[in-house]
Amino acid sequence: MIRLVFDARMIKMSGIGRYIRSLIPELQKNFELILLGNKNDLSKYNVKVIPVLKPPYHPLEQLELFKKIPEAEIFWTPHFNVPLLPLRVKKRIATIHDIFHLTPFSRLNFFQKFYARLLYKNALKKSNIVFTISEFTKSEIIKYFPFMKKNIHKIKVIPHFAESIFKKKKFGEDERTTFLRKYDSPQNYILYVGNIKPHKNITGLIEAFTYLVKEKPSLKLMCVGQKENFITGNYNIKELLKEKGLEDKVIFTGIISDNELIKLYHFAEFLILPSFYEGFGLPPLEAFACGCPVIVSDIPPLREVCGNAAFYVNPFSIKNIAEGMERLIENSDLRKQLIKKGFKQLRIFNKEKILQKYIRTLNILLK
């Protein structure tokens, strides 16, 4: 059986972690799979795990990866932090989700950006295949690394998908009330799913919510996702909430289980994703699957994901974000239309077809 070594160190993270978790079961079926990472994090998978202790981006990870990656037909890094040193593998694959770290939205310092560029360039040059999850990110790769115009055949666009667990369910009113009490939330709330990195525009969302809550004082903003331990984070949020008098109006849940997230999608007025920059945008697909209306930024990758199934706002205009939220709150017919369109849009991102596309691409690579 063909041996595939997969770097799974980031499995506990939100976006990339979900990407890794979605691929491992399919790779298990088709290859002799070896995972790199923390044995405790990967214990649920019945495969060989090679412990790698150094975290992603740490310069010393390069030496550890060089020593520990065994002979294999394929080595796959699901991010751009690929090994710089030679490996005992026949083919190398990388997934580049976005080029965010090189954009003006990134807050990396000069040396961090220099190292990120080195890793991106190395990933593009050394990989036999570069997977990316949107046509937008493919265009960004070519924009920041023009030499890839001659190697465009190496870039394979395969989108992400919502896991099967995300689907429309029926919940009783008592179950809804009991569940929301856990988060000290009323019946009406707006949902945000994502981290608090600056490009996610969480501060812009809070500023816009300030205007909305004046008209609807019972409304709350529920923010789900990782909010700490980033290289570059947005750590002035607490001060902003205090300044705006929103400390009891904005709830940060931290990372929660998928079952809890499904309920939050179901009970929310709508999901909002006001990002300045994205490589893809998975939360809208999860919201579509759960019958939750969606507001997103009018930026190319989110247009690519959401089509006509979302309400679009200008992420650079706090007023426009506020107006968009107010319109959806007050217009139940619009919310119903978006829900219907969301279910239709979701069909484009079929899990089985997407996973099979990965397997076919890997098999073609080895021929």
Side-chain angles (χ1 to χ4, degrees), residues 228-279:
E228 295 164 336
N229 300 321
F230 293 112
I231 296 173
T232 56
N234 202 344
Y235 300 117
N236 63 338
I237 290 177
K238 192 176 289 186
E239 291 77 10
L240 178 62
L241 293 176
K242 187 174 182 180
E243 176 193 331
K244 300 294 182 182
L246 296 176
E247 292 151 300
D248 63 338
K249 298 289 185 183
V250 180
I251 301 164
F252 287 91
T253 69
I255 295 174
I256 61 175
S257 71
D258 283 348
N259 285 326
E260 290 176 298
L261 180 56
I262 288 165
K263 290 181 180 179
L264 287 178
Y265 279 128
H266 275 78
F267 303 149
E269 295 294 314
F270 54 81
L271 169 77
I272 184 162
L273 195 66
S275 309
F276 294 125
Y277 189 95
E278 291 283 349

Side-chain angles (χ1 to χ4, degrees), residues 42-103:
L42 302 169
S43 59
K44 66 179 282 188
Y45 303 107
N46 187 28
V47 298
K48 180 179 178 180
V49 176
I50 297 176
V52 175
L53 304 178
K54 291 290 181 277
Y57 311 120
H58 193 294
L60 291 181
E61 75 172 327
Q62 295 295 333
L63 187 58
E64 189 172 12
L65 291 172
F66 171 69
K67 289 180 177 178
K68 292 187 174 180
I69 294 172
E71 287 187 30
E73 278 78 16
I74 300 174
F75 175 68
W76 187 347
T77 308
H79 199 32
F80 67 90
N81 59 318
V82 301
L84 296 170
L85 298 172
L87 302 177
R88 294 168 292 167
V89 299
K90 293 179 180 178
K91 303 290 183 181
R92 291 171 62 149
I93 296 172
T95 301
I96 295 181
H97 301 264
D98 58 54
I99 305 292
F100 166 71
H101 294 296
L102 304 183
T103 70

Side-chain angles (χ1 to χ4, degrees), residues 302-317:
L302 293 178
R303 282 275 179 186
E304 190 176 333
V305 172
C306 298
N308 70 346
F311 188 89
Y312 291 93
V313 294
N314 178 1
F316 300 96
S317 169

Side-chain angles (χ1 to χ4, degrees), residues 91-230:
K91 303 290 183 181
R92 291 171 62 149
I93 296 172
T95 301
I96 295 181
H97 301 264
D98 58 54
I99 305 292
F100 166 71
H101 294 296
L102 304 183
T103 70
F105 298 106
S106 171
R107 293 190 181 178
L108 294 181
N109 62 39
F110 173 81
F111 295 104
Q112 289 170 327
K113 228 167 200 179
F114 177 83
Y115 186 55
R117 177 173 282 277
L118 175 67
L119 292 178
Y120 275 118
K121 189 174 182 180
N122 182 63
L124 294 168
K125 287 199 166 185
K126 290 190 175 179
S127 298
N128 300 93
I129 288 177
V130 176
F131 285 123
T132 189
I133 54 178
S134 67
E135 291 291 341
F136 172 74
T137 296
K138 178 180 178 179
S139 69
E140 288 282 273
I141 289 172
I142 295 167
K143 173 183 171 182
Y144 283 90
F145 299 94
F147 69 84
M148 285 303 291
K149 288 179 183 177
K150 294 180 180 179
N151 298 285
I152 200 166
H153 62 279
K154 292 205 305 186
I155 305 175
K156 309 294 183 184
V157 179
I158 303 181
H160 209 351
F161 54 84
E163 286 290 352
S164 305
I165 190 173
F166 291 92
K167 57 187 175 183
K168 184 68 177 171
K169 299 180 180 180
K170 288 186 178 180
F171 296 100
E173 193 59 37
D174 288 345
E175 187 174 2
R176 172 191 171 104
T177 302
T178 302
F179 176 75
L180 293 179
R181 193 179 294 133
K182 175 181 177 180
Y183 295 104
D184 192 28
S185 177
Q187 294 296 304
N188 297 348
Y189 64 90
I190 295 167
L191 181 64
Y192 166 81
V193 178
N195 59 52
I196 63 164
K197 290 182 180 180
H199 70 285
K200 295 288 188 178
N201 196 21
I202 185 73
T203 53
L205 173 57
I206 291 170
E207 292 273 8
F209 182 69
T210 303
Y211 293 103
L212 191 61
V213 83
K214 289 176 183 176
E215 301 295 326
K216 303 186 180 300
S218 65
L219 195 63
K220 291 199 177 184
L221 176 62
M222 189 90 71
C223 300
V224 176
Q226 187 177 353
K227 61 175 182 173
E228 295 164 336
N229 300 321
F230 293 112

